[in-house]
Amino acid sequence: MNLPLPRRLGDWLRSLGRPPRSGDGRRVTLADTEWTDLRRRVPFIRTLSATEAERLRERIEGLLGSKEFVGIDHEPEPWQCHVIAAYAALPVLELGLEPYRDWHTVLIYPDTFVPDHEWVDEDGIVHRGAMPQAGEAWERGPVILSWNDVLEHGAVVVHEVTHILDGGNGDVNGFPPLPRDRDPAAWTAAFSEAWEWFNARVETPGVSEEDLPMDPYAATAPEEFLAVAAEAFFFEPARLREALPDVYAEMAGYFRQEPHRRAAVIETSIPGERMT
């Protein structure tokens, strides 16, 4: 089932009586039973140290209090919001929620949705088309997700919020605002070299998806390369670190995390009922 994306999001939200705003800023506290349930559902939480897990819980509570979760054709259950917030909190575990300050809304479709896109090819010809999506993020939000795809691969949330982080410089281009102790030239060199190498591998006859360190969708644009690399960084860290050590090192410095010390591969499927 592919559902259409509303063309004028703000007007549509207002028509539902759900204005495009942040959460009400209330203090949200996860009950111990809710936290236990979330740890059971979300595999990566169980790989965190006790200190990291407690910090993640705080980040989740902050997201639940500051973002609005809007369901399309359904009202999201609290546990669904908790799951999405957990994956969104992982990239900013050590960064804090400030990089998400301009993002206010999460739209949750039951299944894949179909946004209209317009793009210009290298010959200057304008194209327009629609393609089913599992997730999408605009520079300042919202983050749009397919719940069935989140269940299948929770890393889709990390992918989309990485676009939010990337857009912190005013443009989503694969170059997020770096901490002062990070060298922009080193980031550019690592990602530029990896981008060229990865694209060459994708185009090499006989190279299958299994031969690549991450999904070939990363070759579509620099911003997608970063978002797909973030998925690999957090959930297949050993593979990314072996294939693209400089990219892994730059991301470790940016996120201030070293996921390869947690596990080589971390499951991202989530137990739960699919929506129809």
Side-chain angles (χ1 to χ4, degrees):
M1 174 175 61
N2 297 321
L3 301 172
L5 186 69
R7 287 183 179 275
R8 300 190 65 182
L9 181 63
D11 291 344
W12 176 76
L13 284 172
R14 279 185 282 272
S15 75
L16 294 179
R18 305 289 292 274
R21 56 174 175 78
S22 65
D24 57 17
R26 70 194 186 283
R27 171 66 180 173
V28 173
T29 301
L30 285 177
D32 288 343
T33 53
E34 292 175 320
W35 177 239
T36 298
D37 180 65
L38 189 58
R39 290 176 63 94
R40 178 182 62 82
R41 292 182 186 276
V42 179
F44 84 78
I45 299 178
R46 300 191 293 272
T47 71
L48 303 178
S49 69
T51 300
E52 289 174 327
E54 188 57 35
R55 186 176 298 120
L56 183 83
R57 185 173 181 175
E58 293 173 1
R59 299 280 185 261
I60 293 169
E61 291 172 342
L63 287 169
L64 294 173
S66 63
K67 313 303 176 194
E68 185 175 24
F69 295 76
V70 179
I72 310 300
D73 296 332
H74 73 288
E75 188 68 24
E77 297 288 339
W79 72 269
Q80 295 175 305
C81 300
H82 299 168
V83 166
I84 292 170
Y87 278 96
L90 179 59
V92 295
L93 181 65
E94 304 297 339
L95 302 178
L97 297 181
E98 178 62 17
Y100 290 159
R101 65 188 178 278
D102 294 327
W103 158 42
H104 304 303
T105 307
V106 182
L107 294 183
I108 309 167
Y109 276 77
D111 209 337
T112 52
F113 51 91
V114 188
D116 286 329
H117 285 290
E118 187 175 280
W119 70 96
V120 180
D121 66 21
E122 58 186 15
D123 296 319
I125 299 173
V126 178
H127 300 266
R128 190 176 184 86
M131 180 179 297
Q133 299 284 343
E136 184 170 84
W138 302 349
E139 181 182 321
R140 304 181 74 174
V143 168
I144 309 168
L145 299 165
S146 154
W147 176 251
N148 286 345
D149 285 284
V150 170
L151 281 181
E152 184 176 344
H153 188 47
V156 67
V157 182
V158 168
H159 181 111
E160 300 307 333
V161 298
T162 298
H163 287 316
I164 298 291
L165 296 174
D166 187 7
N169 279 329
D171 193 13
V172 181
N173 58 8
F175 192 89
L178 299 178
R180 291 184 178 181
D181 63 346
R182 305 306 303 171
D183 180 5
W187 177 281
T188 299
F191 275 84
S192 296
E193 181 178 342
W195 164 258
E196 293 178 4
W197 175 85
F198 188 79
N199 275 267
R201 288 284 291 168
V202 168
E203 295 171 2
T204 300
V207 173
S208 67
E209 186 171 337
E210 289 70 29
D211 298 324
L212 300 171
M214 52 189 179
D215 192 295
Y217 184 65
T220 58
E223 62 269 23
E224 298 301 343
F225 187 88
L226 175 60
V228 175
E231 294 185 59
F233 177 77
F234 285 108
F235 303 110
E236 293 187 281
R239 187 178 184 184
L240 181 68
R241 184 169 179 257
E242 179 180 356
L244 298 171
D246 290 343
V247 165
Y248 183 90
E250 289 301 317
M251 298 186 82
Y254 170 66
F255 289 114
R256 303 192 184 284
Q257 300 182 56
E258 294 185 309
H260 76 280
R261 298 187 185 278
R262 298 171 186 155
V265 179
I266 300 170
E267 178 59 57
T268 62
S269 63
I270 301 162
E273 293 185 8
R274 291 178 62 86
M275 291 186 177
T276 59

